């Protein structure tokens, strides 16, 4: 008997209860291919294995960092570093704990002043507002040649606001989208194909996320990619002409003429 057949498995109801998710959510994740059970009983019931639980943790950890399900799927398909994921998750949790601790201290001060029949001081109110704000959601030289100091500041500020999610968006999802698009291009898939358009739409969403929709910043980033694709992609061996052909292919998918 194999180790797989003797390892513990979980029916969907039990897993839902243990994870705090609903059965409907797990069924949906199965349907979209995000988390599918590795086994089925003779009667067709879903059974999740320990490997499935490991993937479930990855899904939940990435979701806790603010990533959308589509992004999570791309990250998992591309492969994520388990150590980096756990550390990012831990960093996010510790940041939340710290912010909630500050908020608790501020609220205790407000409660003490109100209980004593005093109106809370302006300082206490401002501290509380700041603490509440902390609990809310949160290229290098190639870019420097195409963006001014203020545009770089906007990019850095928006990227920093994303917290740990920034790593997965920039270093996992975005490169994977480019790889998928290039595979379609080299396979001869027309730029107008639905698959290509979906990839381009997601790329444009990510661009807007980091640039705030600023046309000047977007143009500067695009120029940096055109002039130094190796530096922008983080792949020193990336042939510049290949990247430029891919950029033209993506522009055709957007309906932009060469």
């Amino acid at each position: 008997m194999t180790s797989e057949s003797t390892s513990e498995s979980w029916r969907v109801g039990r897993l839902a209860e243990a994870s705090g998710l609903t059965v409907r959510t797990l069924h949906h994740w199965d349907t979209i291919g995000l988390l599918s059970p590795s086994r089925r009983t003779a009667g067709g019931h879903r059974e999740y294995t320990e490997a499935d639980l490991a993937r479930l943790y990855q899904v939940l950890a990435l979701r806790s960092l603010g990533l959308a399900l589509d992004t999570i799927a791309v990250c998992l398909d591309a492969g994520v570093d388990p150590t980096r994921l756990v550390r990012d998750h831990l960093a996010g949790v510790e940041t939340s704990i710290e912010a909630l601790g500050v908020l608790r201290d501020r609220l205790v001060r407000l409660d003490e002043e109100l209980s004593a029949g005093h109106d809370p001081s302006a300082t206490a109110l401002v501290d509380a507002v700041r603490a509440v704000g902390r609990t809310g959601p949160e290229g290098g030289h190639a870019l420097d040649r195409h963006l001014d100091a203020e545009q770089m500041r906007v990019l850095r500020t928006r990227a920093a606001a994303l917290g740990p999610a920034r790593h997965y968006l920039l270093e996992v999802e975005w490169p994977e989208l480019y790889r998928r698009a290039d595979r379609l291009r080299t396979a001869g898939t027309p730029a107008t194909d639905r698959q290509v358009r979906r990839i381009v739409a997601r790329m444009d969403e990510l661009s807007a996320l980091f640039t705030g929709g600023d046309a000047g910043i977007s143009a500067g980033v695009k120029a940096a990619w055109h002039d130094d694709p190796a530096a922008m992609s983080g792949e020193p061996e990336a042939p510049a002409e290949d990247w430029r052909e891919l950029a033209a292919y993506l522009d055709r998918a957007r309906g932009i003429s060469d």
Side-chain angles (χ1 to χ4, degrees):
M1 186 173 290
T2 66
S3 58
E4 181 179 355
S5 63
T6 57
S7 62
E8 187 176 5
S9 61
W10 291 261
R11 293 281 185 90
V12 66
R14 181 185 172 201
L15 184 59
E17 182 178 358
S19 64
L21 300 169
T22 65
V23 170
R24 182 177 181 180
T25 293
L26 290 173
H27 283 174
H28 174 62
W29 289 0
D30 182 13
T31 300
I32 65 176
L34 181 62
L35 178 70
S36 297
S38 297
R39 297 180 189 166
R40 295 268 182 169
T41 66
H45 296 292
R46 296 171 173 82
E47 283 193 339
Y48 294 84
T49 65
E50 292 179 2
D52 298 329
L53 262 65
R55 184 176 174 93
L56 174 59
Y57 165 73
Q58 292 180 316
V59 171
L60 294 177
L62 289 171
R63 192 174 67 163
S64 76
L65 298 177
L67 300 182
L69 293 182
D70 286 350
T71 297
I72 292 171
V74 172
C75 289
L76 294 183
D77 288 346
V80 296
D81 177 3
T83 301
R84 176 63 184 262
L85 176 56
V86 170
R87 287 176 180 171
D88 283 348
H89 192 190
L90 178 60
V93 170
E94 289 179 340
T95 298
S96 297
I97 291 172
E98 181 181 359
L100 288 171
V102 172
L103 177 58
R104 179 186 180 281
D105 292 343
R106 302 297 188 261
L107 292 175
V108 167
R109 287 178 56 190
L110 283 173
D111 180 61
E112 289 173 347
E113 293 195 25
L114 290 170
S115 297
H118 303 146
D119 290 333
S121 66
T123 300
L125 287 172
V126 170
D127 284 346
V129 169
R130 286 174 177 165
V132 171
R134 291 191 195 100
T135 63
E138 297 192 352
H141 300 299
L143 281 174
D144 287 335
R145 292 194 293 270
H146 296 277
L147 299 176
D148 61 30
E150 175 59 21
Q151 290 172 323
M152 288 295 294
R153 185 194 66 77
V154 170
L155 268 184
R156 292 192 182 100
T157 299
R158 293 186 67 85
L162 294 170
R166 173 185 54 192
H167 163 74
Y168 296 95
L169 294 172
L170 280 179
E171 299 181 37
V172 181
E173 183 181 14
W174 213 325
E176 178 64 13
L177 290 171
Y178 272 104
R179 284 192 289 268
R180 291 182 179 184
D182 201 41
R183 285 196 294 269
L184 291 170
R185 179 184 68 86
T186 55
T189 305
T192 53
D193 187 88
R194 183 181 178 186
Q195 297 177 79
V196 185
R197 289 187 179 275
R198 285 187 62 185
I199 290 174
V200 164
R202 180 55 183 161
M203 287 178 172
D204 291 345
E205 286 178 359
L206 290 176
S207 175
L209 189 64
F210 284 93
T211 67
D214 185 300
I217 296 178
S218 296
V221 172
K222 183 175 180 180
W225 271 96
H226 183 274
D227 290 351
D228 198 348
M232 292 294 290
S233 67
E235 298 179 16
E237 304 303 320
E241 192 54 39
D242 286 353
W243 280 99
R244 288 166 189 153
E245 288 179 7
L246 177 58
Y249 178 72
L250 297 174
D251 277 346
R252 290 196 295 274
R254 294 183 178 95
I256 302 173
S257 57
D258 294 335

